[in-house]
Amino acid sequence: MDQSETKPSRFTMAGESMPRSNLRLVAAVALTILGLTLIADYLNGFGLVLVADLVGIGLFATVLLAAKKARHFTWLCHLLLAGGLGVISATYLLKLDQGVENLDLLYTPLIVVAAAFIVSVRSLFAWTVVTIVATAALLVFTAGAATETEPGLADQILAYGFVMVGFLAFGAVTRDNAHRYVTDARVQRDRANALAAELEQRVQARTAELADANTRLRVEMDQRLGYEKVLAHQAAHDPLTGLPNRTKLNTWLGEALARCSPESPLGLIFLDLDMFKQANDTMGHQAGDCVLVAVAERLRRLESDHTLVARFGGDEFVLVREDTDAAALLEISDRIAELLRDPFFVQESAVYQSASGGAVLAVSPATNPTHLLRDADIAMYRAKDKGRGRTELFVQEMGDDIADRVRRERALRQGVSRDEFVVHYQPIVDIRDGTTIGAEALLRWVRGGEVVPAGEFIDIVEETGLILELGSWVLREVCGQHAALEAQVRSPLRVHVNVSPLQAQQPDFVAEVLQALDDASVPRRSLGIEITEGTLVDASSDVYSKLATLRDAGIQVILDDFCTRYSSLAYLKQLPVDAIKVDRSFVDGIGIDPVDDAIVRAILDLASSLGIGVVAEGVETFEQARTLSDLGCPMAQGWLYGKALPVSAWPGATTAHTRTGRAP
């Protein structure tokens, strides 16, 4: 930066550095001098000088009034300086040419010039010259006055001196102004350069900031896009297996259906693992998750541009393929069976899994994805019913069966609300003389005046959970009717009540049974609980504990459908039962098929060895009854001894059927 800006000279332009107070001081001095001159000239009576003084005062006042800014004041001072010099020169020339002797007219412009010079000049040299010349002129004027030299000569000397001073001052001011202009130009240039450099630095800094902000913005956008991709992937994929989830399946299925046609059908296979529940229950949920992940990895091998494999939920998977047919779907099902044939090794144990599948084809873009999945699910359950580990292709008859099942379920719910269910009792007799010693309570549905056997609706009741409500009702109804039954047979009677697996799993099952007996004041020895062999095999230790509690309370436990599902007899050791029932599938062949005779004989021998009672079911002929009696079977029930009837229609103790040899 130039030194003139940081450290200005002592003699500076008023418009640049001189304070306004100094400007006012100079103006005051100049006005005072003009005033004194005015008074002196007025007393001498020179009118022309008075006019000149008034003009000078007016001009200087105008200068002071107009110079609101220091720069304007400086330029006006320069103007007055030049004007004053011009007036002096003109007056002097006028005097020489016209012989004007009185030079008082020069006083006012001289004072104005002096005042302007004082304000404007910044050069020390100019001030020195002015001082010397003014002093010399004053001495000459004083000497001339003292020696009585003619005024004309003194005036001429004074005039010439002031003219010389004026020219010197004008030259000094002009040179100084030129220097100032050059200096100002340099200063302005330096300022401009400095400002440009500063601006360039600011621009560069701002550019760097913008570049950095742009970089951060790009990084943030990339991160956000990455987060969005991760969230989108998580929203469309199963977190455990990594396969597409149900949401993506529905989206992909809808898009694929829009492209299908009779010439390019869309195929779908709904898969359900057959033995996953056993692995999950025996090895734990973590092991079950490992099995699901391993299954998903094998099924992923079937993926392609036109094939999607998704996890539908739990142990269910869905495969969708475009441009396929029924034969190709069945080939895919065979491929799935091959992929699952090898064991899965979890926790150092080999786990075997198979899958039942339901396949369905779509040939119209108008096909509802939900209906397509429903049909595949129906076909899958049909495959499970046929033995599992296979795939069934959906046909319309399956849908009709399901529709019929839905109608029956709706009717069953209405029947519960309308009290359309009743309890019938089938006698259990002493096979030796046909005396009624017990009864089995059987649930019946009276619909439209007709009695619907339990075999036609019991599966639906158990699957829908209605068995809990109906089972509790049957238990209370049997206890409430027990006295009437005993009155019919005129002897103590034990009534057997069938209990479903779902009932036995309820936490309050034992309390409910005991409460029903106590409310009806029925002895506990008068109730028997029938439970199927499959229920005991699949039951948890909690169910065994509940049955043992009931048995300890005096309630008999009867094992139904003995030897129809499993050959293991371990449950007889874990839970000693009071009696077993021989299924009618073995009784039908008694006296006809030697194998049936051998099986029944073995059951009777086993029961006798264990001290367990035996009831033969489904006895319909006298020959069956006689053979069973010969084999040592103590009890029997069936149409030979009586149908299942309501308590009001019970015939009481009778042996009539034993004489007919045929069922009624």
Side-chain angles (χ1 to χ4, degrees), residues 203-219:
V203 170
Q204 291 178 355
R206 186 58 178 166
T207 302
E209 292 177 0
L210 291 176
D212 184 61
N214 188 33
T215 301
R216 291 197 304 271
L217 181 60
R218 288 183 177 179
V219 172

Side-chain angles (χ1 to χ4, degrees), residues 230-494:
V230 171
L231 292 176
H233 184 273
Q234 291 177 349
H237 289 77
D238 174 54
L240 178 63
T241 63
L243 291 176
N245 59 14
R246 189 181 302 185
T247 301
K248 185 173 182 179
L249 170 66
N250 291 334
T251 302
W252 201 90
L253 186 58
E255 295 173 353
L257 282 172
R259 295 188 293 267
C260 77
S261 65
E263 294 76 21
S264 179
L266 175 74
L268 185 146
I269 299 178
F270 195 103
L271 297 171
D272 183 90
L273 300 182
D274 294 323
M275 295 172 287
F276 176 75
K277 185 178 184 301
Q278 289 85 338
N280 201 45
D281 292 343
T282 57
M283 303 180 67
H285 293 287
Q286 185 175 2
D289 290 344
C290 293
V291 172
L292 291 175
V293 172
V295 170
E297 286 300 320
R298 296 189 186 182
L299 294 179
R300 200 187 298 273
R301 302 173 191 175
L302 301 172
E303 290 182 332
S304 66
D305 293 339
H306 301 286
T307 304
L308 177 75
V309 178
R311 185 187 179 195
F312 194 76
D315 60 345
E316 298 172 333
F317 299 86
V318 174
L319 182 144
V320 184
R321 171 166 288 187
E322 293 184 278
D323 193 17
T324 187
D325 54 25
L329 283 181
L330 294 179
E331 290 179 2
I332 293 174
S333 67
D334 293 339
R335 174 63 174 155
I336 292 173
E338 292 177 4
L339 291 174
L340 301 180
R341 182 173 292 114
D342 294 333
F344 300 89
F345 290 94
V346 179
Q347 298 177 356
E348 299 181 355
S349 299
V351 178
Y352 291 88
Q353 287 292 323
S354 62
S356 297
V360 63
L361 287 174
V363 296
S364 172
T367 303
N368 190 313
T370 303
H371 294 169
L372 196 67
L373 289 168
R374 178 202 62 194
D375 294 343
D377 187 53
I378 292 172
M380 182 269 294
Y381 277 105
R382 181 61 60 87
K384 283 185 177 293
D385 292 340
K386 289 188 176 182
R388 304 185 178 185
R390 55 185 296 161
T391 298
E392 286 291 319
L393 186 65
F394 176 81
V395 293
Q396 189 57 45
E397 289 76 8
M398 296 181 184
D400 296 339
D401 293 342
I402 293 297
D404 180 64
R405 188 183 185 90
V406 170
R407 287 191 295 270
R408 283 191 292 167
E409 178 182 344
R410 187 182 301 113
L412 278 170
R413 293 185 182 277
Q414 293 175 351
V416 172
S417 63
R418 297 172 181 174
D419 296 328
E420 295 179 351
F421 289 89
V422 296
V423 178
H424 288 184
Y425 300 90
Q426 186 174 36
I428 298 175
V429 302
D430 186 331
I431 201 169
R432 293 170 297 181
D433 56 11
T435 304
T436 301
I437 58 176
E440 180 180 0
L442 300 172
L443 183 65
R444 294 292 185 261
W445 179 20
V446 181
R447 184 185 182 191
E450 296 182 0
V451 178
V452 181
E456 297 185 14
F457 63 83
I458 197 65
D459 289 343
I460 301 177
V461 169
E462 290 183 347
E463 290 176 5
T464 58
L466 287 173
I467 191 64
L468 293 177
E469 181 178 354
L470 287 174
S472 298
W473 176 81
V474 168
L475 184 62
R476 294 191 302 271
E477 189 75 1
V478 167
C479 292
Q481 295 178 351
H482 183 267
L485 284 172
E486 285 193 338
Q488 291 281 27
V489 298
R490 296 184 297 277
S491 65
L493 191 72
R494 179 180 292 113

Side-chain angles (χ1 to χ4, degrees), residues 524-594:
R524 296 180 179 179
R525 67 176 182 277
S526 298
L527 181 67
I529 298 296
E530 287 196 14
I531 191 163
T532 62
E533 182 184 33
T535 300
L536 280 185
V537 172
D538 296 335
S540 63
S541 59
D542 181 59
V543 172
Y544 278 89
S545 176
K546 292 174 182 176
L547 294 176
T549 301
L550 292 176
R551 190 168 183 269
D552 293 339
I555 300 172
Q556 282 200 351
V557 177
I558 300 95
L559 186 60
D560 197 8
D561 300 334
F562 186 69
C563 286
T564 57
R565 293 186 59 187
Y566 300 91
S567 59
S568 175
L569 302 178
Y571 46 83
L572 291 178
K573 180 179 180 180
Q574 296 176 14
L575 177 66
V577 297
D578 295 288
I580 58 177
K581 299 185 79 171
V582 180
D583 188 71
R584 67 180 304 154
S585 62
F586 301 120
V587 174
D588 288 342
I590 286 290
I592 300 173
D593 188 346

Side-chain angles (χ1 to χ4, degrees), residues 108-130:
T108 296
L110 285 175
I111 293 173
V112 173
V113 169
F117 188 80
I118 291 171
V119 176
S120 302
V121 174
R122 62 183 289 182
S123 172
L124 181 61
F125 172 74
W127 276 96
T128 304
V129 172
V130 168

